Amino acid sequence: MTEKELEQHIAEAVKDLDLEDREIPAIDLYLDQILSLVADKNKGAADRYRERTLTKTMINNYSKDGLISPITGKKYTHDHIIEMLLVYAMKNTLSISEIKRILHGARNDCSFTGADLTAAYRRFLGVKESNRARTGEVVLSLLHEDGLDVQNDRDFFVALLDILSLSAYLKAVAQEMLEARYTDPDFAERERREREKAEKREQAERDKAEKREQTEREREEKRKEKEEKKRIFIDSTET
């Protein structure tokens, strides 16, 4: 592969298209209408991106996992669609639990409103456009600095590993950042459940202890009653 061919492949690799917030109708939409909007936008993208379109199953799973705010009825608002697009933008890099942590953190730790998420999405598309150009520059600079010639089969193999390692480190940086800033909603939920379990166990132990004490009191009362009857019987026979 020549460097010119590599540049062409890089251009194809970053040829995705994003639905901008201004392209979203001001009215609430049914799910099929949203999927059509995204699919139409993707028609001009590279093959790899056309194959990654949104589906009903994906959106339903996003809702179940709490990535999208609860909806009323069957229509989705502009804010819901922005949330979908944010999830869609992150899902090929981060896990569902990590995406949930980011969106949950934005809403709950930082009090983001729907307008805040829309503004963030708009700014994100701006920097993403810059990243399309940066990607080629970074890759070519990386390979040049590391002395790798993609026309050489052995260098080409190492070049792939080189690019993948950079990608992995960048992903790790993002994960470190989100873990340092945003609360893990699943961890918080697990902690709550553990507290409830511990409280139930403690209550059960208290109930058992109280029952044992009650049983002992009843036994003691019966013993005393029996002794009292015995004493009365003895007294009556002596008289």
Side-chain angles (χ1 to χ4, degrees), residues 207-222:
D207 292 343
K208 287 181 182 179
E210 186 176 330
K211 189 173 182 180
R212 285 195 298 269
E213 291 175 1
Q214 179 65 24
T215 301
E216 288 299 322
R217 285 196 296 270
E218 291 174 354
R219 287 176 180 173
E220 182 63 16
E221 289 173 359
K222 287 181 180 179

Side-chain angles (χ1 to χ4, degrees), residues 10-11 14-20 22 41 89 120-137:
I10 292 172
V14 299
K15 190 182 176 183
D16 60 340
L17 294 173
D18 299 291
L19 187 67
E20 299 181 29
R22 61 182 175 80
K41 187 69 178 183
Y121 179 73
R122 188 181 302 122
R123 292 180 66 189
F124 160 64
L125 293 190
V127 297
K128 186 178 179 183
E129 180 61 32
S130 298
N131 283 338
R132 290 190 178 97
R134 289 192 189 109
T135 299
E137 296 169 1

Side-chain angles (χ1 to χ4, degrees), residues 225-236:
E225 183 181 348
K226 186 175 181 180
E227 288 182 353
E228 179 64 17
K229 287 181 179 179
K230 182 178 180 181
R231 186 186 64 76
I232 295 173
F233 175 74
I234 290 174
D235 289 345
S236 63

Side-chain angles (χ1 to χ4, degrees), residues 31-235:
L31 185 52
D32 285 340
Q33 294 173 309
I34 299 169
L35 298 179
S36 294
L37 270 178
V38 176
D40 288 343
K41 187 69 178 183
N42 270 338
K43 286 179 179 178
D47 290 344
R48 67 175 65 248
Y49 297 107
R50 289 200 298 271
E51 295 168 358
R52 296 176 188 172
T53 188
L54 278 171
T55 66
K56 285 185 178 180
T57 300
M58 289 164 60
I59 299 303
N60 289 333
N61 288 337
Y62 296 166
S63 296
K64 291 177 183 177
D65 290 328
L67 303 177
I68 299 172
S69 303
I71 68 168
T72 302
K74 296 182 178 181
K75 289 187 176 182
Y76 295 81
T77 65
H78 181 278
D79 290 348
H80 287 127
I81 298 171
I82 291 295
E83 290 173 341
M84 293 178 197
L85 295 174
L86 286 168
V87 175
Y88 185 64
M90 293 185 281
K91 74 181 186 69
N92 289 317
T93 305
L94 299 177
S95 67
I96 290 298
S97 62
E98 289 169 331
I99 297 172
K100 181 178 180 180
R101 183 168 182 169
I102 290 176
L103 293 177
H104 183 276
R107 297 189 199 103
N108 295 277
D109 297 347
C110 302
S111 302
F112 272 40
T113 63
D116 291 325
L117 286 177
T118 296
Y121 179 73
R122 188 181 302 122
R123 292 180 66 189
F124 160 64
L125 293 190
V127 297
K128 186 178 179 183
E129 180 61 32
S130 298
N131 283 338
R132 290 190 178 97
R134 289 192 189 109
T135 299
E137 296 169 1
V138 169
V139 169
L140 294 175
S141 176
L142 179 72
L143 300 185
H144 289 164
E145 289 179 11
D146 293 339
L148 296 171
D149 180 2
V150 290
Q151 295 187 79
N152 179 290
D153 287 342
R154 285 162 179 75
D155 278 10
F156 182 89
F157 180 75
V158 177
L160 287 176
L161 299 177
D162 197 3
I163 294 168
L164 289 171
S165 70
L166 178 60
S167 172
Y169 283 136
L170 290 174
K171 176 180 176 179
V173 169
Q175 290 170 322
E176 283 286 335
M177 289 172 65
L178 76 90
E179 289 168 8
R181 180 63 184 88
Y182 296 136
T183 303
D184 182 352
D186 293 332
F187 179 74
E189 178 63 18
R190 286 194 297 271
E191 277 195 326
R192 184 188 65 78
R193 289 198 296 264
E194 288 301 322
R195 283 197 302 271
E196 289 181 351
K197 287 181 182 178
E199 290 171 359
K200 287 180 180 179
R201 285 195 297 268
E202 291 173 1
Q203 185 60 49
E205 290 299 324
R206 286 195 293 269
D207 292 343
K208 287 181 182 179
E210 186 176 330
K211 189 173 182 180
R212 285 195 298 269
E213 291 175 1
Q214 179 65 24
T215 301
E216 288 299 322
R217 285 196 296 270
E218 291 174 354
R219 287 176 180 173
E220 182 63 16
E221 289 173 359
K222 287 181 180 179
R223 185 185 66 77
K224 290 180 178 180
E225 183 181 348
K226 186 175 181 180
E227 288 182 353
E228 179 64 17
K229 287 181 179 179
K230 182 178 180 181
R231 186 186 64 76
I232 295 173
F233 175 74
I234 290 174
D235 289 345

